Amino acid sequence: MASLLEPGVALRPDPMVPRLVTLERTRAETADTFTMELVAPDGVTEFPFLPGQFNMVGALGVGEVPISVSGDPQTPRTIVHTTREVGAVTNALKQLRPGAALTLRGPYGTAWPVEACSGHDVVLIAGGIGLAPLRPVIYEVMRQRARFGRFLVLYGTRSPEDILFAKELSRWRSQFDMELLVTVDRGTEHWRGNVGVVTKLVARAPFEPRETVAMVCGPEVMMRFAVAELRARGVAEPNIHVSLERNMKCGVGLCGHCQLRGEFICRSGPVYSYDRVAPLFEVREL
Amino acid sequence: MVISDSRPERSAVLDARDLGSLLEALQLRGYGPVGPTIVGDAVVLRPIAGVDELPSGVGDAQEPGSYRLAPRDDGRFFGHNLGPSSAKRFLFPPVRSLWTAIRIGPQVRIEANDDPPPKIALIGLRACDLAAIAIQDRVFGREPYVDPHYQAARENALLIAVNCSQAAATCFCASMGTGPRVGGGFDLCLTELLDAGGHRFLVEAGSEKGDQVLADLPTTVATERDRRAARAESDRAQAQIQRRLDTDGLKDVLYRNAEHPYWNTVGERCLACGNCTLVCPTCFCATVEDASDLTGDRTERTRIWDSCFNLEFSYIHGGSVRTSTAARYRQWITHKLGAWIEQFGTSGCVGCGRCIAWCPVGIDITEEAGRLRSEDRAPQPVGR
Ligand SMILES: Cc1cc2nc3c(=O)[nH]c(=O)nc-3n(C[C@H](O)[C@H](O)[C@H](O)COP(=O)(O)OP(=O)(O)OC[C@H]3O[C@@H](n4cnc5c(N)ncnc54)[C@H](O)[C@@H]3O)c2cc1C
Ligand code: SF4
Ligand code: SF4
Ligand code: FES
């Protein structure tokens, strides 16, 4: 019997090999955060995704990092990523000019449970850049607003200048029935809103705990406190969803980097219902 | 264990003086022989051209933190135990190019590296090595994202096992249910016999490919006496195994003691050098590196073995998740002996003992797991 792989016989496609996409435009959101709109080189290929999923986005010669899709699931021809510049790869992405080629693999990972929210109050709790992975949920809820109960977005960021998607948020708030509570770590003289951590907003937010599905995205400490507040209000653990973050080198369950005990966060996450990961949340340096 | 128990279809006896015919038969069929050979002070797996490169008449003595070659006077080809290298090095190479991006003017093109891996015959794999391969088959074969390089290398490799006739002091395959006797998962399996009947090999075929190679060899019929002698070799190895690992409920012991102060004691001894992960035949973690040529027109991404003992392994913006060595050792052993079961339905340890011998400070996975068990905090009620 001849080997199945004599020279010249094609291997199965390698999930580590990216496709090329073209940067259509970059928009500065805040001092360190920018939104990229990417399209296929042919301009027509669509990139369907579910809210909460991420892509491995790469700058040629620099590297590839996981970034959640922040765009509208209904416009899959454009891939939208909102990124905070923190290091080598995100810096290189920020420098790219329109027309530049990027690498892309994905979409990967689990989704926020938008469908399961039907008939329920929906509470989104975001810290900093954590609002970006939740924006596709906002688009989905807005599109079918009548299907849901109360809709709240609790958002905490460093300062008033760091508020992401500010125009869009205020438009949604005025046009649709969306309750938006924003808080900042540090106010400015013109700031009349809340000052303090976002988790403090939970206690007085108007939602019916037993009827609520909550989605939390932000730094791990913030998520820990947010979950505690939600539980204190009586939201059941299976109705609380969090998006976990770990180093990721492959996004497809092969490199081992994203492991959290038995979970490969790139495969069984990043979005988890809290009851599944609760025991892992409590161990230091896991 | 993941070894199938399909019985070998055919067996025969090969005189030790004719072992060269095996290498020739493999070469004729296009397989480059890779076998144990002495490099420096250790037996390692390397491409070999002839039987004279096998470590004939060489054994070894292994202890925690120690590996020494030792001459033996019986001229056995496979009288040694496991060295630091394993089949992993060939099926999942330490460095592999994944793709290259080429820029010509405004155009960029990505070329996947789909060079098929060479056809090789891995000679001298032990029962635990075969078990490790079966484990990596699961790791790299989980749909929908399989590693095509691994699968191609597997497809192109002939596995030629050898039954152990002695155990090292570091071996504990019996505890892991993987050895010492080879059960299945091979193309050919050799048992080196050395008794009144002469120096010879009982050769068993475990696959169609193995059958074909066996048919090429100048063998004689295997008798019941040869088979009995082969069993005696395995029995001797079995009797020599001293190390034990109690795997009963070990996953839960590891999980529920995640915050036990014990971890600090091993954290103080471990150097976080990563030797254990490099020599382990099942460890699969990898990172990627990008390199560009001077013009910037060619960029290559390469996959490289990584280790959970590296600080950067768990780096996310703001700092690594596992900063302490204790947390990294806990990650390694908890993954190996616990989380692996959750992920792949099998322990990640086959009891080969490599990590014990090659740890510079002699940290012993069986001892550490045993110590944690002995300090086990009372089982927590289910559900927190
Ligand atoms: C599922 C997921 C979704 C994410 N979504 C977004 C998003 O929508 N917007 C956004 O701004 N950021 C997001 N991040 C974080 C983003 O991946 C990191 O900020 C980015 O990897 C930093 O890379 P760097 O090279 O610029 O930084 P450096 O500090 O130079 O990092 C060096 C390397 O460490 C790794 N690394 C560093 N931080 C992280 C991290 N937080 N997560 C994973 N790997 C990391 C990367 O491999 C990186 O190349 C997400 C992370 C994950 C896991
Ligand atoms: S953990 Fe140690 S004994 Fe177990 S398979 Fe890996 S190297 Fe061998
Ligand atoms: S256990 Fe031993 S081999 Fe492994 S990282 Fe620690 S010192 Fe190195
Ligand atoms: S990112 Fe590689 S295994 Fe999850």
Side-chain angles (χ1 to χ4, degrees):
Chain A
M1 191 179 69
S3 159
L4 294 175
L5 276 152
E6 300 298 351
V9 177
L11 308 184
R12 272 185 69 169
D14 183 353
M16 293 299 280
V17 176
R19 64 165 88 215
L20 288 167
V21 291
T22 308
L23 177 63
E24 203 159 63
R25 71 173 66 84
T26 296
R27 187 174 52 246
E29 299 283 358
T30 67
D32 63 2
T33 305
F34 57 100
T35 295
M36 295 184 295
E37 295 182 13
L38 312 171
V39 292
D42 64 11
V44 293
T45 303
E46 300 197 331
F47 298 87
F49 73 98
L50 299 168
Q53 288 192 303
F54 66 94
N55 284 315
M56 295 299 291
V57 185
L60 284 166
V62 186
E64 190 184 44
V65 293
I67 305 287
S68 307
V69 188
S70 69
D72 184 345
Q74 299 303 314
T75 57
R77 211 173 271 187
T78 311
I79 310 150
V80 182
H81 285 298
T82 302
T83 307
R84 191 171 148 223
E85 178 198 356
V86 295
V89 177
T90 49
N91 178 264
L93 292 173
K94 193 181 179 190
Q95 307 302 322
L96 294 174
R97 326 282 321 169
L102 283 76
T103 66
L104 189 89
R105 299 188 293 122
Y108 297 133
T110 52
W112 299 111
V114 180
E115 282 307 307
C117 295
S118 215
H120 294 277
D121 287 358
V122 183
V123 178
L124 309 186
I125 307 178
I129 186 72
L131 185 60
L134 283 169
R135 190 168 66 165
V137 178
I138 306 181
Y139 287 120
E140 289 290 288
V141 171
M142 287 307 168
R143 205 166 45 79
Q144 333 163 52
R145 184 65 191 88
R147 281 182 55 197
F148 307 95
R150 272 166 285 197
F151 182 43
L152 285 81
V153 176
L154 317 187
Y155 175 41
T157 190
R158 282 172 298 182
S159 73
E161 287 83 49
D162 289 306
I163 296 175
L164 278 181
F165 315 134
K167 278 203 196 111
E168 219 173 3
L169 287 173
S170 59
R171 185 166 54 81
W172 280 328
R173 171 155 58 177
S174 56
Q175 288 178 2
F176 301 91
D177 180 15
M178 175 182 109
E179 182 108 25
L180 175 67
L181 298 174
V182 180
T183 182
V184 296
D185 297 339
R186 281 172 279 109
T188 54
E189 20 172 336
H190 307 294
W191 178 251
R192 271 181 200 80
N194 302 295
V195 176
V197 289
V198 64
T199 50
K200 284 205 291 195
L201 301 176
V202 177
R204 56 188 170 84
F207 60 86
E208 179 49 55
R210 273 163 230 298
E211 286 303 318
T212 292
V213 178
M215 308 181 202
V216 187
C217 189
E220 212 158 296
V221 266
M222 167 263 173
M223 292 199 285
R224 203 170 283 135
F225 281 110
V227 168
E229 295 285 345
L230 288 165
R231 289 179 59 203
R233 286 277 310 261
V235 182
E237 285 191 6
N239 290 339
I240 302 174
H241 302 268
V242 293
S243 183
L244 300 188
E245 205 180 347
R246 280 293 181 276
N247 187 298
M248 291 188 179
K249 292 295 176 191
C250 74
V252 292
L254 291 170
C255 78
H257 277 257
C258 67
Q259 290 176 89
L260 182 62
R261 197 168 276 171
E263 310 291 342
F264 284 84
I265 289 177
C266 67
R267 258 180 95 102
S268 55
V271 177
Y272 292 96
S273 70
Y274 182 71
D275 54 329
R276 176 157 176 184
V277 289
L280 310 178
F281 245 60
E282 284 146 25
V283 183
R284 264 172 302 137
E285 291 193 69
L286 202 63
Chain B
M1 230 11 272
V2 280
I3 289 171
S4 83
D5 54 19
S6 65
R7 293 315 307 160
E9 291 165 21
R10 211 164 90 82
S11 59
V13 168
L14 182 71
D15 193 286
R17 281 164 301 194
D18 292 328
L19 189 58
S21 66
L22 172 62
L23 269 65
E24 284 158 27
L26 294 169
Q27 280 155 337
L28 269 173
R29 289 177 176 273
Y31 291 100
V34 170
T37 190
I38 295 171
V39 174
D41 296 325
V43 172
V44 299
L45 286 175
R46 277 282 172 87
I48 54 171
V51 287
D52 54 335
E53 293 186 49
L54 293 172
S56 165
V58 174
D60 52 52
Q62 305 194 32
E63 292 293 340
S66 154
Y67 173 99
R68 298 272 175 279
L69 292 179
R72 49 187 300 158
D73 50 20
D74 57 6
R76 279 182 186 267
F77 288 105
F78 300 99
H80 55 279
N81 295 292
L82 297 168
S85 60
S86 69
K88 175 171 94 168
R89 181 166 289 277
F90 297 89
L91 302 176
F92 170 60
V95 178
R96 195 187 203 287
S97 167
L98 296 174
W99 53 266
T100 306
I102 300 155
R103 185 190 302 275
I104 302 164
Q107 296 295 324
V108 184
R109 188 172 84 235
I110 288 189
E111 285 181 1
N113 175 9
D114 48 14
D115 296 344
K119 278 176 74 171
I120 56 170
L122 289 160
I123 302 168
L125 305 178
R126 307 305 170 99
C128 59
D129 286 326
L130 296 175
I133 292 171
I135 290 173
Q136 287 213 322
D137 285 354
R138 294 191 182 196
V139 169
F140 294 122
R142 275 194 301 174
E143 296 291 348
Y145 303 113
V146 303
D147 179 344
H149 301 298
Y150 178 84
Q151 293 201 322
R154 269 296 263 127
E155 203 70 60
N156 271 355
L158 213 60
L159 307 185
I160 304 191
V162 167
N163 269 313
C164 291
S165 49
Q166 71 289 315
T170 42
C171 296
F172 60 102
C173 58
S175 297
M176 305 314 291
T178 61
R181 191 167 173 72
V182 169
F186 56 86
D187 293 293
L188 283 177
C189 177
L190 314 179
T191 309
E192 188 165 22
L193 306 177
L194 193 57
D195 58 16
H199 189 185
R200 64 200 189 284
F201 291 93
L202 177 69
V203 189
E204 297 164 276
S207 72
E208 207 179 310
K209 287 182 197 171
D211 231 10
Q212 291 168 351
V213 175
L214 179 54
D216 291 347
L217 307 182
T219 53
T220 55
V221 174
T223 64
E224 190 42 43
R225 197 179 121 205
D226 297 317
R227 270 186 256 281
R228 228 177 309 130
R231 271 194 299 276
E233 295 287 333
S234 297
D235 290 346
R236 170 156 16 91
Q238 174 91 40
Q240 288 176 3
I241 295 174
Q242 306 152 15
R243 258 193 173 61
R244 303 266 176 268
L245 175 63
D246 179 3
T247 58
D248 188 36
L250 188 51
K251 171 164 82 71
D252 298 324
V253 172
L254 289 158
Y255 283 11
R256 71 173 163 253
N257 292 292
E259 306 228 68
H260 198 288
Y262 149 81
W263 297 110
N264 295 326
T265 68
V266 63
E268 278 162 19
R269 283 173 288 139
C270 173
L271 312 175
C273 68
N275 268 12
C276 49
T277 60
L278 294 175
V279 296
C280 179
T282 67
C283 275
F284 61 87
C285 287
T287 187
V288 288
E289 261 178 35
D290 286 25
S292 297
D293 67 4
L294 285 178
T295 64
D297 290 340
R298 276 180 77 91
T299 292
E300 189 178 16
R301 175 157 302 158
T302 309
R303 183 192 69 194
I304 301 167
W305 283 0
D306 202 351
S307 168
C308 55
F309 283 94
N310 292 335
L311 181 60
E312 317 81 70
F313 186 89
S314 64
Y315 180 80
I316 55 175
H317 176 64
S320 293
V321 175
R322 298 180 203 111
T323 48
S324 70
T325 303
R328 284 176 258 161
Y329 188 85
R330 177 183 68 188
Q331 166 62 21
W332 181 68
I333 194 172
T334 305
H335 184 215
K336 220 47 353 177
L337 301 174
W340 215 294
I341 300 169
E342 225 182 290
Q343 296 168 336
F344 301 108
T346 165
S347 172
C349 175
V350 297
C352 74
R354 286 183 176 95
C355 58
I356 303 173
W358 293 92
C359 174
V361 292
I363 292 173
D364 174 348
I365 186 171
T366 64
E367 203 181 298
E368 300 306 329
R371 196 172 303 175
L372 183 67
R373 186 192 288 281
S374 72
E375 295 185 23
D376 187 9
R377 290 169 166 176
Q380 249 106 104
V382 188
R384 287 170 299 117

